[in-house]
Amino acid sequence: MDPTVIDIVLIIHFAGLMLGAGGGLGSTIVMAQARAMPPEQAGPLRSVGPALSRMAALGLVLMLLSGPALVSMKYDGFANMPMLFWVKLVFVGTLTLAAILIEVTYARVKKGDMKAAGLLPKLGPMAGISSLLAVVFAALAFH
């Protein structure tokens, strides 16, 4: 495989990581600040959360598309992957689940289900911890 193509796909993968991490961390910080504010002042700040969540989801989609391509091009498929790669994929799975649930929750809130917003303080840390552990095990698997 042409090394330039692999480099481009790796750049896309890392750009996805940046979008995912930036959106996820940004959303966590914004929501923590909003919780500390009176509800009438927190409204505009809370409106940033869904946009940051979409940014994180876009990053995750880029990684989910570029990751298998990298494995195929650089490592000749999944059969050659070390055990730590499979551990990483477990956390990619929990991250993906959390991201989907966050998007569904924001959609419910947008439709007026304010009780659903109570899930966000649980889902955010699930996504954040899963993301961190996926990166840790990726570093261990590919060093």
Side-chain angles (χ1 to χ4, degrees):
M1 177 59 60
D2 180 2
T4 303
V5 173
I6 294 171
D7 288 345
I8 290 169
V9 175
L10 185 59
I11 289 166
I12 291 168
H13 198 70
F14 285 151
L17 178 63
M18 290 173 49
L19 285 169
L25 184 59
S27 181
T28 299
I29 292 168
V30 164
M31 290 300 120
Q33 290 296 314
R35 275 196 308 271
M37 299 172 80
E40 63 277 358
Q41 292 178 349
L45 192 57
R46 287 183 197 275
S47 68
V48 176
L52 290 170
S53 175
R54 282 190 300 278
M55 184 175 96
L58 172 62
L60 181 58
V61 168
L62 287 176
M63 288 187 294
L64 290 172
L65 294 173
S66 60
L70 283 170
V71 169
S72 176
M73 290 186 292
K74 190 169 173 89
Y75 300 101
D76 296 323
F78 288 92
N80 300 317
M81 301 312 295
M83 178 55 76
L84 290 175
F85 172 81
W86 298 104
V87 175
K88 168 199 169 306
L89 278 189
V90 168
F91 293 111
V92 169
T94 58
L95 169 59
T96 302
L97 176 63
I100 290 167
L101 291 173
I102 287 168
E103 288 302 315
V104 168
T105 301
Y106 274 128
R108 287 174 56 193
V109 170
K110 188 175 182 179
K111 290 180 181 176
D113 182 0
M114 298 316 288
K115 276 186 161 182
L119 294 172
L120 293 171
K122 296 174 184 89
L123 294 172
M126 178 182 164
I129 291 167
S130 295
S131 179
L132 175 63
L133 290 172
V135 169
V136 166
F137 284 101
L140 295 172
F142 294 112
H143 75 351

Tab-separated table of all heavy atoms in Angstrom, residues 63-132:
chain	number	residue	atom	x	y	z
A	63	MET	N	-13.319	8.414	12.888
A	63	MET	CA	-12.450	7.350	13.413
A	63	MET	C	-13.012	5.973	13.085
A	63	MET	O	-12.252	5.050	12.760
A	63	MET	CB	-12.256	7.506	14.922
A	63	MET	CG	-11.364	8.681	15.274
A	63	MET	SD	-10.954	8.759	17.019
A	63	MET	CE	-12.538	9.088	17.742
A	64	LEU	N	-14.338	5.814	13.156
A	64	LEU	CA	-14.939	4.518	12.858
A	64	LEU	C	-14.783	4.150	11.385
A	64	LEU	O	-14.733	2.968	11.041
A	64	LEU	CB	-16.417	4.510	13.255
A	64	LEU	CG	-16.705	4.526	14.755
A	64	LEU	CD1	-18.193	4.718	15.013
A	64	LEU	CD2	-16.190	3.264	15.426
A	65	LEU	N	-14.687	5.147	10.514
A	65	LEU	CA	-14.474	4.881	9.094
A	65	LEU	C	-12.997	4.676	8.762
A	65	LEU	O	-12.638	3.786	7.994
A	65	LEU	CB	-15.039	6.025	8.241
A	65	LEU	CG	-16.558	6.203	8.279
A	65	LEU	CD1	-16.959	7.465	7.535
A	65	LEU	CD2	-17.260	4.978	7.715
A	66	SER	N	-12.149	5.501	9.352
A	66	SER	CA	-10.717	5.428	9.014
A	66	SER	C	-10.005	4.298	9.749
A	66	SER	O	-9.035	3.734	9.220
A	66	SER	CB	-10.027	6.762	9.318
A	66	SER	OG	-10.141	7.094	10.695
A	67	GLY	N	-10.466	3.920	10.927
A	67	GLY	CA	-9.809	2.866	11.698
A	67	GLY	C	-9.744	1.538	10.964
A	67	GLY	O	-8.655	0.970	10.785
A	68	PRO	N	-10.884	1.003	10.515
A	68	PRO	CA	-10.826	-0.255	9.767
A	68	PRO	C	-9.999	-0.150	8.484
A	68	PRO	O	-9.314	-1.105	8.094
A	68	PRO	CB	-12.289	-0.556	9.453
A	68	PRO	CG	-13.055	0.131	10.528
A	68	PRO	CD	-12.263	1.389	10.824
A	69	ALA	N	-10.039	1.023	7.850
A	69	ALA	CA	-9.215	1.215	6.647
A	69	ALA	C	-7.729	1.124	6.999
A	69	ALA	O	-6.952	0.489	6.277
A	69	ALA	CB	-9.538	2.563	6.001
A	70	LEU	N	-7.344	1.733	8.107
A	70	LEU	CA	-5.947	1.657	8.545
A	70	LEU	C	-5.541	0.222	8.861
A	70	LEU	O	-4.461	-0.229	8.473
A	70	LEU	CB	-5.720	2.530	9.783
A	70	LEU	CG	-5.610	4.021	9.544
A	70	LEU	CD1	-5.645	4.774	10.869
A	70	LEU	CD2	-4.346	4.343	8.777
A	71	VAL	N	-6.405	-0.496	9.576
A	71	VAL	CA	-6.101	-1.878	9.926
A	71	VAL	C	-5.921	-2.711	8.659
A	71	VAL	O	-4.995	-3.516	8.556
A	71	VAL	CB	-7.202	-2.475	10.835
A	71	VAL	CG1	-7.051	-3.979	10.985
A	71	VAL	CG2	-7.174	-1.805	12.203
A	72	SER	N	-6.781	-2.472	7.700
A	72	SER	CA	-6.704	-3.219	6.444
A	72	SER	C	-5.447	-2.873	5.649
A	72	SER	O	-4.737	-3.757	5.175
A	72	SER	CB	-7.953	-2.921	5.608
A	72	SER	OG	-7.873	-3.551	4.364
A	73	MET	N	-5.163	-1.588	5.515
A	73	MET	CA	-4.035	-1.146	4.683
A	73	MET	C	-2.678	-1.378	5.341
A	73	MET	O	-1.732	-1.770	4.683
A	73	MET	CB	-4.180	0.344	4.345
A	73	MET	CG	-5.307	0.649	3.401
A	73	MET	SD	-5.350	2.371	2.874
A	73	MET	CE	-5.782	3.213	4.378
A	74	LYS	N	-2.590	-1.109	6.620
A	74	LYS	CA	-1.294	-1.138	7.293
A	74	LYS	C	-0.968	-2.489	7.920
A	74	LYS	O	0.192	-2.881	7.988
A	74	LYS	CB	-1.252	-0.039	8.360
A	74	LYS	CG	0.113	0.183	8.969
A	74	LYS	CD	0.132	1.440	9.806
A	74	LYS	CE	1.410	1.583	10.556
A	74	LYS	NZ	2.454	2.276	9.881
A	75	TYR	N	-1.995	-3.210	8.373
A	75	TYR	CA	-1.755	-4.448	9.118
A	75	TYR	C	-2.347	-5.683	8.442
A	75	TYR	O	-2.421	-6.739	9.046
A	75	TYR	CB	-2.312	-4.307	10.546
A	75	TYR	CG	-1.667	-3.177	11.298
A	75	TYR	CD1	-2.306	-1.958	11.441
A	75	TYR	CD2	-0.395	-3.325	11.845
A	75	TYR	CE1	-1.706	-0.904	12.113
A	75	TYR	CE2	0.212	-2.274	12.525
A	75	TYR	CZ	-0.446	-1.080	12.652
A	75	TYR	OH	0.142	-0.038	13.317
A	76	ASP	N	-2.810	-5.533	7.214
A	76	ASP	CA	-3.376	-6.647	6.444
A	76	ASP	C	-4.579	-7.296	7.117
A	76	ASP	O	-4.777	-8.501	7.022
A	76	ASP	CB	-2.303	-7.698	6.140
A	76	ASP	CG	-1.208	-7.140	5.238
A	76	ASP	OD1	-1.535	-6.347	4.334
A	76	ASP	OD2	-0.033	-7.489	5.455
A	77	GLY	N	-5.352	-6.529	7.829
A	77	GLY	CA	-6.597	-7.028	8.387
A	77	GLY	C	-6.586	-7.237	9.880
A	77	GLY	O	-5.558	-7.117	10.550
A	78	PHE	N	-7.741	-7.571	10.389
A	78	PHE	CA	-7.949	-7.694	11.826
A	78	PHE	C	-7.304	-8.937	12.434
A	78	PHE	O	-7.036	-8.975	13.625
A	78	PHE	CB	-9.448	-7.681	12.146
A	78	PHE	CG	-10.064	-6.321	11.979
A	78	PHE	CD1	-10.636	-5.943	10.774
A	78	PHE	CD2	-10.065	-5.419	13.016
A	78	PHE	CE1	-11.200	-4.685	10.616
A	78	PHE	CE2	-10.625	-4.165	12.880
A	78	PHE	CZ	-11.197	-3.792	11.664
A	79	ALA	N	-7.053	-9.955	11.636
A	79	ALA	CA	-6.483	-11.205	12.170
A	79	ALA	C	-5.087	-10.994	12.760
A	79	ALA	O	-4.660	-11.767	13.620
A	79	ALA	CB	-6.431	-12.263	11.080
A	80	ASN	N	-4.404	-9.953	12.332
A	80	ASN	CA	-3.035	-9.702	12.779
A	80	ASN	C	-2.934	-8.739	13.959
A	80	ASN	O	-1.838	-8.340	14.331
A	80	ASN	CB	-2.206	-9.151	11.609
A	80	ASN	CG	-2.146	-10.112	10.454
A	80	ASN	OD1	-1.966	-11.309	10.646
A	80	ASN	ND2	-2.318	-9.600	9.252
A	81	MET	N	-4.067	-8.387	14.540
A	81	MET	CA	-4.052	-7.368	15.585
A	81	MET	C	-3.743	-7.986	16.951
A	81	MET	O	-4.210	-9.083	17.261
A	81	MET	CB	-5.391	-6.636	15.627
A	81	MET	CG	-5.751	-5.946	14.308
A	81	MET	SD	-4.427	-4.942	13.589
A	81	MET	CE	-4.266	-3.695	14.815
A	82	PRO	N	-2.971	-7.262	17.781
A	82	PRO	CA	-2.626	-7.774	19.114
A	82	PRO	C	-3.829	-7.711	20.064
A	82	PRO	O	-4.806	-7.000	19.814
A	82	PRO	CB	-1.517	-6.824	19.576
A	82	PRO	CG	-1.761	-5.557	18.831
A	82	PRO	CD	-2.341	-5.963	17.498
A	83	MET	N	-3.737	-8.427	21.162
A	83	MET	CA	-4.818	-8.490	22.149
A	83	MET	C	-5.202	-7.096	22.665
A	83	MET	O	-6.391	-6.803	22.857
A	83	MET	CB	-4.409	-9.382	23.326
A	83	MET	CG	-5.461	-9.456	24.415
A	83	MET	SD	-7.093	-9.973	23.855
A	83	MET	CE	-6.821	-11.705	23.649
A	84	LEU	N	-4.227	-6.217	22.876
A	84	LEU	CA	-4.550	-4.883	23.386
A	84	LEU	C	-5.412	-4.089	22.404
A	84	LEU	O	-6.181	-3.213	22.807
A	84	LEU	CB	-3.272	-4.122	23.734
A	84	LEU	CG	-2.527	-4.659	24.961
A	84	LEU	CD1	-1.207	-3.925	25.153
A	84	LEU	CD2	-3.387	-4.564	26.203
A	85	PHE	N	-5.313	-4.391	21.123
A	85	PHE	CA	-6.185	-3.763	20.127
A	85	PHE	C	-7.641	-4.134	20.403
A	85	PHE	O	-8.532	-3.296	20.325
A	85	PHE	CB	-5.788	-4.197	18.716
A	85	PHE	CG	-6.757	-3.743	17.670
A	85	PHE	CD1	-6.707	-2.456	17.175
A	85	PHE	CD2	-7.733	-4.605	17.178
A	85	PHE	CE1	-7.612	-2.029	16.211
A	85	PHE	CE2	-8.636	-4.193	16.223
A	85	PHE	CZ	-8.582	-2.902	15.731
A	86	TRP	N	-7.879	-5.390	20.738
A	86	TRP	CA	-9.241	-5.855	21.002
A	86	TRP	C	-9.784	-5.234	22.288
A	86	TRP	O	-10.985	-4.925	22.372
A	86	TRP	CB	-9.285	-7.379	21.026
A	86	TRP	CG	-8.880	-7.919	19.686
A	86	TRP	CD1	-7.680	-8.479	19.359
A	86	TRP	CD2	-9.636	-7.869	18.475
A	86	TRP	NE1	-7.652	-8.788	18.022
A	86	TRP	CE2	-8.839	-8.430	17.451
A	86	TRP	CE3	-10.910	-7.412	18.157
A	86	TRP	CZ2	-9.278	-8.544	16.142
A	86	TRP	CZ3	-11.347	-7.524	16.836
A	86	TRP	CH2	-10.535	-8.080	15.859
A	87	VAL	N	-8.920	-5.016	23.266
A	87	VAL	CA	-9.338	-4.311	24.481
A	87	VAL	C	-9.741	-2.880	24.111
A	87	VAL	O	-10.769	-2.369	24.563
A	87	VAL	CB	-8.217	-4.324	25.549
A	87	VAL	CG1	-8.607	-3.478	26.758
A	87	VAL	CG2	-7.894	-5.755	25.960
A	88	LYS	N	-8.937	-2.252	23.266
A	88	LYS	CA	-9.249	-0.908	22.778
A	88	LYS	C	-10.624	-0.890	22.120
A	88	LYS	O	-11.422	0.022	22.365
A	88	LYS	CB	-8.187	-0.455	21.784
A	88	LYS	CG	-8.549	0.792	20.988
A	88	LYS	CD	-7.670	0.850	19.760
A	88	LYS	CE	-7.973	1.813	18.710
A	88	LYS	NZ	-9.201	1.932	18.080
A	89	LEU	N	-10.923	-1.904	21.308
A	89	LEU	CA	-12.212	-1.942	20.613
A	89	LEU	C	-13.391	-2.058	21.579
A	89	LEU	O	-14.480	-1.558	21.276
A	89	LEU	CB	-12.252	-3.086	19.602
A	89	LEU	CG	-11.599	-2.805	18.256
A	89	LEU	CD1	-11.893	-3.929	17.273
A	89	LEU	CD2	-12.011	-1.476	17.672
A	90	VAL	N	-13.196	-2.683	22.720
A	90	VAL	CA	-14.263	-2.735	23.727
A	90	VAL	C	-14.612	-1.306	24.149
A	90	VAL	O	-15.795	-0.930	24.223
A	90	VAL	CB	-13.844	-3.582	24.947
A	90	VAL	CG1	-14.814	-3.397	26.112
A	90	VAL	CG2	-13.735	-5.051	24.556
A	91	PHE	N	-13.588	-0.490	24.382
A	91	PHE	CA	-13.837	0.894	24.806
A	91	PHE	C	-14.340	1.750	23.656
A	91	PHE	O	-15.123	2.683	23.880
A	91	PHE	CB	-12.593	1.474	25.480
A	91	PHE	CG	-12.298	0.778	26.776
A	91	PHE	CD1	-11.191	-0.039	26.911
A	91	PHE	CD2	-13.172	0.886	27.852
A	91	PHE	CE1	-10.938	-0.716	28.093
A	91	PHE	CE2	-12.936	0.210	29.037
A	91	PHE	CZ	-11.814	-0.592	29.154
A	92	VAL	N	-13.956	1.449	22.437
A	92	VAL	CA	-14.530	2.127	21.277
A	92	VAL	C	-16.029	1.809	21.215
A	92	VAL	O	-16.855	2.686	20.926
A	92	VAL	CB	-13.823	1.715	19.969
A	92	VAL	CG1	-14.585	2.207	18.746
A	92	VAL	CG2	-12.388	2.244	19.950
A	93	GLY	N	-16.378	0.566	21.529
A	93	GLY	CA	-17.790	0.179	21.549
A	93	GLY	C	-18.585	0.918	22.609
A	93	GLY	O	-19.691	1.424	22.337
A	94	THR	N	-18.038	1.022	23.824
A	94	THR	CA	-18.766	1.737	24.882
A	94	THR	C	-18.824	3.235	24.571
A	94	THR	O	-19.828	3.888	24.866
A	94	THR	CB	-18.164	1.494	26.279
A	94	THR	OG1	-16.795	1.890	26.292
A	94	THR	CG2	-18.288	0.030	26.683
A	95	LEU	N	-17.786	3.766	23.949
A	95	LEU	CA	-17.794	5.164	23.529
A	95	LEU	C	-18.872	5.392	22.470
A	95	LEU	O	-19.632	6.366	22.534
A	95	LEU	CB	-16.422	5.573	22.984
A	95	LEU	CG	-16.331	6.921	22.272
A	95	LEU	CD1	-16.756	8.048	23.198
A	95	LEU	CD2	-14.928	7.141	21.751
A	96	THR	N	-18.950	4.500	21.506
A	96	THR	CA	-19.955	4.621	20.443
A	96	THR	C	-21.362	4.549	21.026
A	96	THR	O	-22.237	5.357	20.670
A	96	THR	CB	-19.743	3.528	19.381
A	96	THR	OG1	-18.414	3.659	18.855
A	96	THR	CG2	-20.754	3.642	18.252
A	97	LEU	N	-21.588	3.621	21.932
A	97	LEU	CA	-22.887	3.508	22.589
A	97	LEU	C	-23.224	4.788	23.341
A	97	LEU	O	-24.337	5.320	23.224
A	97	LEU	CB	-22.905	2.311	23.538
A	97	LEU	CG	-24.173	2.133	24.361
A	97	LEU	CD1	-25.374	1.872	23.458
A	97	LEU	CD2	-23.997	0.995	25.358
A	98	ALA	N	-22.273	5.298	24.111
A	98	ALA	CA	-22.500	6.538	24.865
A	98	ALA	C	-22.807	7.696	23.919
A	98	ALA	O	-23.720	8.492	24.184
A	98	ALA	CB	-21.292	6.863	25.740
A	99	ALA	N	-22.080	7.803	22.810
A	99	ALA	CA	-22.305	8.893	21.850
A	99	ALA	C	-23.706	8.811	21.248
A	99	ALA	O	-24.389	9.836	21.102
A	99	ALA	CB	-21.245	8.853	20.755
A	100	ILE	N	-24.135	7.602	20.916
A	100	ILE	CA	-25.487	7.436	20.369
A	100	ILE	C	-26.530	7.828	21.414
A	100	ILE	O	-27.484	8.556	21.111
A	100	ILE	CB	-25.695	5.981	19.893
A	100	ILE	CG1	-24.843	5.706	18.647
A	100	ILE	CG2	-27.176	5.702	19.618
A	100	ILE	CD1	-24.740	4.234	18.277
A	101	LEU	N	-26.337	7.372	22.640
A	101	LEU	CA	-27.291	7.692	23.702
A	101	LEU	C	-27.323	9.191	23.997
A	101	LEU	O	-28.393	9.748	24.295
A	101	LEU	CB	-26.968	6.900	24.962
A	101	LEU	CG	-27.214	5.387	24.857
A	101	LEU	CD1	-26.699	4.677	26.109
A	101	LEU	CD2	-28.678	5.087	24.610
A	102	ILE	N	-26.187	9.850	23.909
A	102	ILE	CA	-26.133	11.303	24.124
A	102	ILE	C	-26.939	12.009	23.037
A	102	ILE	O	-27.732	12.914	23.317
A	102	ILE	CB	-24.676	11.807	24.185
A	102	ILE	CG1	-24.033	11.369	25.511
A	102	ILE	CG2	-24.611	13.324	24.017
A	102	ILE	CD1	-22.523	11.556	25.557
A	103	GLU	N	-26.756	11.597	21.787
A	103	GLU	CA	-27.503	12.223	20.681
A	103	GLU	C	-29.008	11.988	20.841
A	103	GLU	O	-29.813	12.889	20.627
A	103	GLU	CB	-27.004	11.699	19.332
A	103	GLU	CG	-25.643	12.218	18.943
A	103	GLU	CD	-25.570	13.727	18.856
A	103	GLU	OE1	-26.486	14.359	18.273
A	103	GLU	OE2	-24.590	14.300	19.373
A	104	VAL	N	-29.384	10.765	21.220
A	104	VAL	CA	-30.802	10.449	21.443
A	104	VAL	C	-31.351	11.290	22.598
A	104	VAL	O	-32.474	11.814	22.527
A	104	VAL	CB	-30.986	8.938	21.712
A	104	VAL	CG1	-32.380	8.624	22.239
A	104	VAL	CG2	-30.690	8.132	20.447
A	105	THR	N	-30.562	11.442	23.637
A	105	THR	CA	-30.984	12.229	24.803
A	105	THR	C	-31.188	13.687	24.422
A	105	THR	O	-32.198	14.301	24.794
A	105	THR	CB	-29.962	12.092	25.948
A	105	THR	OG1	-29.862	10.716	26.302
A	105	THR	CG2	-30.381	12.903	27.161
A	106	TYR	N	-30.239	14.258	23.660
A	106	TYR	CA	-30.409	15.652	23.228
A	106	TYR	C	-31.653	15.801	22.359
A	106	TYR	O	-32.376	16.806	22.442
A	106	TYR	CB	-29.171	16.160	22.484
A	106	TYR	CG	-28.104	16.702	23.406
A	106	TYR	CD1	-26.793	16.246	23.319
A	106	TYR	CD2	-28.386	17.684	24.346
A	106	TYR	CE1	-25.806	16.744	24.159
A	106	TYR	CE2	-27.410	18.189	25.189
A	106	TYR	CZ	-26.124	17.721	25.083
A	106	TYR	OH	-25.149	18.220	25.910
A	107	ALA	N	-31.952	14.813	21.531
A	107	ALA	CA	-33.159	14.873	20.700
A	107	ALA	C	-34.413	14.850	21.570
A	107	ALA	O	-35.380	15.578	21.298
A	107	ALA	CB	-33.176	13.708	19.712
A	108	ARG	N	-34.400	14.041	22.627
A	108	ARG	CA	-35.541	13.986	23.551
A	108	ARG	C	-35.715	15.325	24.270
A	108	ARG	O	-36.843	15.808	24.442
A	108	ARG	CB	-35.358	12.861	24.560
A	108	ARG	CG	-35.552	11.481	23.954
A	108	ARG	CD	-35.234	10.370	24.927
A	108	ARG	NE	-36.016	10.460	26.160
A	108	ARG	CZ	-35.734	9.758	27.255
A	108	ARG	NH1	-34.713	8.913	27.284
A	108	ARG	NH2	-36.478	9.888	28.334
A	109	VAL	N	-34.602	15.918	24.691
A	109	VAL	CA	-34.666	17.210	25.380
A	109	VAL	C	-35.215	18.275	24.430
A	109	VAL	O	-36.056	19.098	24.814
A	109	VAL	CB	-33.276	17.611	25.935
A	109	VAL	CG1	-33.279	19.051	26.420
A	109	VAL	CG2	-32.858	16.654	27.050
A	110	LYS	N	-34.773	18.244	23.190
A	110	LYS	CA	-35.238	19.225	22.199
A	110	LYS	C	-36.749	19.132	21.996
A	110	LYS	O	-37.403	20.120	21.740
A	110	LYS	CB	-34.512	19.005	20.877
A	110	LYS	CG	-34.780	20.069	19.845
A	110	LYS	CD	-33.939	19.861	18.608
A	110	LYS	CE	-34.183	20.964	17.611
A	110	LYS	NZ	-33.364	20.810	16.419
A	111	LYS	N	-37.285	17.908	22.149
A	111	LYS	CA	-38.732	17.706	22.010
A	111	LYS	C	-39.489	18.044	23.292
A	111	LYS	O	-40.696	17.882	23.361
A	111	LYS	CB	-39.021	16.266	21.608
A	111	LYS	CG	-38.606	15.943	20.200
A	111	LYS	CD	-38.916	14.500	19.861
A	111	LYS	CE	-38.473	14.189	18.448
A	111	LYS	NZ	-38.675	12.776	18.115
A	112	GLY	N	-38.767	18.483	24.332
A	112	GLY	CA	-39.416	18.916	25.559
A	112	GLY	C	-39.327	17.954	26.730
A	112	GLY	O	-39.850	18.242	27.793
A	113	ASP	N	-38.664	16.815	26.548
A	113	ASP	CA	-38.520	15.844	27.638
A	113	ASP	C	-37.346	16.269	28.518
A	113	ASP	O	-36.220	15.796	28.359
A	113	ASP	CB	-38.297	14.444	27.062
A	113	ASP	CG	-38.187	13.368	28.132
A	113	ASP	OD1	-38.275	13.699	29.339
A	113	ASP	OD2	-38.000	12.198	27.757
A	114	MET	N	-37.617	17.161	29.457
A	114	MET	CA	-36.547	17.707	30.290
A	114	MET	C	-36.011	16.683	31.288
A	114	MET	O	-34.902	16.817	31.773
A	114	MET	CB	-37.013	18.971	31.013
A	114	MET	CG	-37.411	20.100	30.058
A	114	MET	SD	-36.254	20.355	28.679
A	114	MET	CE	-34.884	21.070	29.517
A	115	LYS	N	-36.791	15.646	31.593
A	115	LYS	CA	-36.294	14.585	32.467
A	115	LYS	C	-35.106	13.870	31.818
A	115	LYS	O	-34.204	13.408	32.510
A	115	LYS	CB	-37.391	13.563	32.753
A	115	LYS	CG	-38.313	13.935	33.865
A	115	LYS	CD	-39.243	12.766	34.142
A	115	LYS	CE	-39.844	12.907	35.513
A	115	LYS	NZ	-40.707	11.764	35.825
A	116	ALA	N	-35.125	13.766	30.501
A	116	ALA	CA	-34.044	13.083	29.787
A	116	ALA	C	-32.701	13.759	30.025
A	116	ALA	O	-31.663	13.094	30.022
A	116	ALA	CB	-34.345	13.030	28.286
A	117	ALA	N	-32.709	15.064	30.256
A	117	ALA	CA	-31.459	15.793	30.499
A	117	ALA	C	-30.706	15.244	31.700
A	117	ALA	O	-29.477	15.360	31.773
A	117	ALA	CB	-31.742	17.280	30.683
A	118	GLY	N	-31.414	14.606	32.617
A	118	GLY	CA	-30.775	14.015	33.788
A	118	GLY	C	-29.829	12.873	33.439
A	118	GLY	O	-28.984	12.495	34.257
A	119	LEU	N	-29.959	12.326	32.237
A	119	LEU	CA	-29.051	11.251	31.799
A	119	LEU	C	-27.677	11.783	31.391
A	119	LEU	O	-26.690	11.058	31.448
A	119	LEU	CB	-29.655	10.488	30.616
A	119	LEU	CG	-30.924	9.699	30.886
A	119	LEU	CD1	-31.500	9.165	29.585
A	119	LEU	CD2	-30.624	8.557	31.844
A	120	LEU	N	-27.622	13.019	30.965
A	120	LEU	CA	-26.370	13.568	30.421
A	120	LEU	C	-25.206	13.542	31.408
A	120	LEU	O	-24.088	13.208	31.008
A	120	LEU	CB	-26.608	14.970	29.873
A	120	LEU	CG	-27.522	15.010	28.640
A	120	LEU	CD1	-27.883	16.444	28.292
A	120	LEU	CD2	-26.890	14.299	27.461
A	121	PRO	N	-25.416	13.853	32.692
A	121	PRO	CA	-24.287	13.778	33.623
A	121	PRO	C	-23.735	12.360	33.810
A	121	PRO	O	-22.617	12.180	34.275
A	121	PRO	CB	-24.866	14.315	34.941
A	121	PRO	CG	-26.013	15.168	34.537
A	121	PRO	CD	-26.576	14.506	33.308
A	122	LYS	N	-24.508	11.354	33.446
A	122	LYS	CA	-24.015	9.971	33.501
A	122	LYS	C	-23.363	9.561	32.188
A	122	LYS	O	-22.342	8.879	32.171
A	122	LYS	CB	-25.164	9.024	33.836
A	122	LYS	CG	-25.767	9.244	35.207
A	122	LYS	CD	-26.986	8.361	35.404
A	122	LYS	CE	-27.632	8.642	36.727
A	122	LYS	NZ	-28.626	9.682	36.707
A	123	LEU	N	-23.975	9.960	31.079
A	123	LEU	CA	-23.475	9.557	29.758
A	123	LEU	C	-22.177	10.269	29.393
A	123	LEU	O	-21.304	9.674	28.756
A	123	LEU	CB	-24.544	9.818	28.695
A	123	LEU	CG	-25.805	8.981	28.805
A	123	LEU	CD1	-26.861	9.473	27.822
A	123	LEU	CD2	-25.479	7.509	28.585
A	124	GLY	N	-22.057	11.524	29.782
A	124	GLY	CA	-20.837	12.274	29.479
A	124	GLY	C	-19.590	11.602	30.044
A	124	GLY	O	-18.632	11.344	29.305
A	125	PRO	N	-19.581	11.287	31.347
A	125	PRO	CA	-18.415	10.589	31.904
A	125	PRO	C	-18.193	9.206	31.289
A	125	PRO	O	-17.050	8.787	31.097
A	125	PRO	CB	-18.736	10.487	33.392
A	125	PRO	CG	-19.644	11.633	33.649
A	125	PRO	CD	-20.474	11.768	32.398
A	126	MET	N	-19.274	8.504	30.948
A	126	MET	CA	-19.115	7.202	30.285
A	126	MET	C	-18.372	7.367	28.961
A	126	MET	O	-17.450	6.606	28.654
A	126	MET	CB	-20.488	6.570	30.034
A	126	MET	CG	-20.459	5.251	29.312
A	126	MET	SD	-22.172	4.684	29.049
A	126	MET	CE	-21.919	3.433	27.815
A	127	ALA	N	-18.743	8.385	28.204
A	127	ALA	CA	-18.073	8.652	26.939
A	127	ALA	C	-16.623	9.078	27.174
A	127	ALA	O	-15.709	8.600	26.491
A	127	ALA	CB	-18.822	9.732	26.153
A	128	GLY	N	-16.420	9.964	28.136
A	128	GLY	CA	-15.072	10.471	28.404
A	128	GLY	C	-14.120	9.388	28.866
A	128	GLY	O	-12.986	9.287	28.373
A	129	ILE	N	-14.570	8.563	29.795
A	129	ILE	CA	-13.712	7.483	30.304
A	129	ILE	C	-13.451	6.455	29.208
A	129	ILE	O	-12.322	5.978	29.043
A	129	ILE	CB	-14.344	6.839	31.561
A	129	ILE	CG1	-14.301	7.836	32.717
A	129	ILE	CG2	-13.646	5.544	31.939
A	129	ILE	CD1	-15.156	7.444	33.906
A	130	SER	N	-14.482	6.132	28.435
A	130	SER	CA	-14.305	5.180	27.331
A	130	SER	C	-13.309	5.712	26.307
A	130	SER	O	-12.456	4.973	25.810
A	130	SER	CB	-15.647	4.901	26.651
A	130	SER	OG	-16.523	4.255	27.534
A	131	SER	N	-13.413	6.990	26.003
A	131	SER	CA	-12.499	7.612	25.044
A	131	SER	C	-11.063	7.568	25.548
A	131	SER	O	-10.137	7.200	24.810
A	131	SER	CB	-12.930	9.063	24.796
A	131	SER	OG	-12.072	9.690	23.898
A	132	LEU	N	-10.887	7.934	26.800
A	132	LEU	CA	-9.545	7.917	27.383
A	132	LEU	C	-8.956	6.509	27.363
A	132	LEU	O	-7.807	6.310	26.959
A	132	LEU	CB	-9.579	8.464	28.812
A	132	LEU	CG	-8.264	8.388	29.581
A	132	LEU	CD1	-7.199	9.241	28.907
A	132	LEU	CD2	-8.468	8.811	31.018
